[in-house]
Amino acid sequence: MSGRRALTAVVLLVLTACTTGPSLENRGQVTASPGDSRHLTIGSAGFTESDLLAQMYALLLNQAGYKTALLTVANRELYEPALESGQIDVVPEYAATFADWLNAKAHGADAPPAGSPDLGATMRALRELAAPRGLTVLDPGRAVDQNAFAVSRSYARRHGLKTLGDLGASGLKVRLAAGDECVRRPYCAPGLRKTYGIDVTGIDPKGVGTTQAKQAVRSGRDQMVLTTTTDATLDAFGLVLLADDRHLQNADYVVPVVNRARAGGTGVTKVLGRLNDVLTTADLASLNRQVDSWRRLPSDVARTYLRDKGLLK
C-alpha cells in the first residue's frame, strides 16, 4: 500500500490495565518537550463519524510525511488509557463529553460536570484534566456533534417553528421520543421545560435518534425527537432540527486529542488545524449520510471531501 495512504485495515485492540501517562505523584508537572513521531497510530471509536474523522486525520498526516495506521477501539474505557500510554497517538473526541469523562475518572462519578454550553470554559476544564495524563487537546474546529431536537417539517411549517424558543412560546403540548434517561437529564425534558418553557407532556422511550423514534414523529404519534446535530437521516423522515437558541446543550465540538510525548508538537497541530478551519457541522452530517445511507466506504468519503476542499492533492 502506498506510503501516501493510511493503513486501512481496522483491528480491534484488546488492552489490559496499564500504567498511563505521568505517575500520580508527578501529575500536573508535565515538563518534557512535546514529541513529533513520524509514525502515528490514529484511533477511532468505531462509529461512522469517528471513522470518518480518523480517516481524514490519517490522510492529511500522510500527505505531510507521517506514516499512519488506523486502529479501532470501540470503548473509551480502553482507548483513553491507550492514548495516555502511546499505543494510540491521535484520536477525535468531543470537548464537553471528554471533559466530563476525564473529570469522572479523576474525581468520581458524582463530581460536578466539567463540560458546559460555554466552549471556552469547557476547553479550559478539558485541558486541565488532560495535561496531567500526558494528553494535549488541540483547538476545536467549527463542527459540533451535540444533542439536538427535531420535529416534522410539516409541524414546523404549520406552527412557524425554527427554534426551541419558538416552540416554547407557542404553548404547544409536546410528547418527546427519546431515551428513558430523558426524564431526568438536565439537557433533556427538565432543560426543555426550565430553559424554554416547553410543555413536555411525556417521554416515548424509543431511544436517541433511532428509526423507531423518528417514525413516531413522522407519523404524528410524537411531536419531537431527541437526536444529534450531525444526524444523517433527518431528511429521509421529513424532519428538521430546531435551533438551540438559548444554548441548553453542552459544547461538544470536535477536538483532536494527542499523546503529548509522541504527537504534541507543532507538526500534527498544524496539519489537523487545516481540517478544523474547514469542517462544519453540516459537512459532518453530509459525510455521515454518505456512509450510513449511501453505503460508501468511510475512506472514500473522507478522501473525496478533502480533495473537494483543496486539502488533499
Side-chain angles (χ1 to χ4, degrees):
M1 192 172 284
S2 168
R4 288 291 178 184
R5 297 183 61 186
L7 177 65
T8 55
V10 179
V11 297
L12 293 177
L13 181 66
V14 179
L15 299 169
T16 58
C18 56
T19 57
T20 55
S23 61
L24 287 172
E25 60 269 21
N26 292 327
R27 288 191 172 179
Q29 301 178 20
V30 180
T31 57
S33 298
D36 190 28
S37 172
R38 309 309 290 180
H39 294 77
L40 299 174
T41 299
I42 315 299
S44 166
F47 57 93
T48 296
E49 188 168 292
S50 188
D51 288 345
L52 284 163
L53 289 165
Q55 290 281 355
M56 287 190 281
Y57 290 1
L59 288 165
L60 291 172
L61 288 166
N62 287 344
Q63 180 173 252
Y66 294 85
K67 294 184 182 296
T68 65
L70 294 179
L71 194 61
T72 294
V73 188
N75 185 315
R76 190 178 276 116
E77 285 76 10
L78 293 177
Y79 74 67
E80 189 277 330
L83 186 61
E84 289 188 28
S85 69
Q87 291 172 276
I88 293 174
D89 302 305
V90 184
V91 70
E93 262 292 357
Y94 301 91
T97 295
F98 197 45
D100 284 342
W101 194 87
L102 289 180
N103 193 45
K105 185 174 180 179
H107 303 297
D110 295 329
S116 75
D118 185 324
L119 178 59
T122 295
M123 288 299 297
R124 286 191 293 274
L126 174 55
R127 283 172 166 154
E128 288 175 3
L129 289 160
R133 297 183 177 278
L135 306 180
T136 295
V137 182
L138 306 187
D139 288 340
R142 302 165 61 190
V144 57
D145 185 353
Q146 60 192 167
N147 293 303
F149 296 91
V151 298
S152 72
R153 187 174 287 106
S154 59
Y155 183 84
R157 188 184 309 114
R158 186 162 64 250
H159 298 290
L161 306 177
K162 294 184 178 180
T163 69
L164 290 170
D166 293 339
L167 182 56
S170 73
L172 293 165
K173 295 184 182 301
V174 174
R175 179 176 164 91
L176 178 62
D180 291 333
E181 69 278 3
C182 183
V183 173
R184 61 185 181 277
R185 292 286 177 86
Y187 66 80
C188 204
L192 291 173
R193 295 185 180 106
K194 181 179 180 180
T195 302
Y196 287 105
I198 295 173
D199 187 3
V200 180
T201 60
I203 304 299
D204 189 1
K206 294 188 179 299
V208 179
T210 63
T211 296
Q212 293 80 7
K214 292 171 192 171
Q215 287 175 338
V217 175
R218 179 169 62 179
S219 71
R221 170 186 170 88
D222 301 327
Q223 287 71 52
M224 189 160 67
V225 59
L226 171 62
T227 183
T228 66
T229 51
T230 60
D231 189 320
T233 63
L234 293 177
D235 283 346
F237 290 90
L239 306 181
V240 293
L241 293 178
L242 296 182
D244 181 19
D245 50 318
R246 297 179 189 168
H247 308 293
L248 173 63
Q249 303 304 323
N250 281 347
D252 258 331
Y253 283 75
V254 174
V255 289
V257 181
V258 304
N259 177 287
R260 184 178 188 273
R262 290 183 50 79
T266 57
V268 171
T269 299
K270 183 177 179 180
V271 171
L272 299 187
R274 296 176 63 211
L275 179 61
N276 274 354
D277 292 341
V278 172
L279 185 67
T280 67
T281 304
D283 289 343
L284 264 185
S286 175
L287 298 176
N288 287 338
R289 182 181 306 111
Q290 292 177 55
V291 175
D292 291 338
S293 298
W294 303 355
R295 302 304 179 189
R296 295 185 62 198
L297 293 175
S299 56
D300 292 340
V301 173
R303 184 176 291 105
T304 299
Y305 175 80
L306 294 177
R307 285 176 175 165
D308 288 348
K309 294 297 183 179
L311 298 179
L312 193 68
K313 295 176 182 178

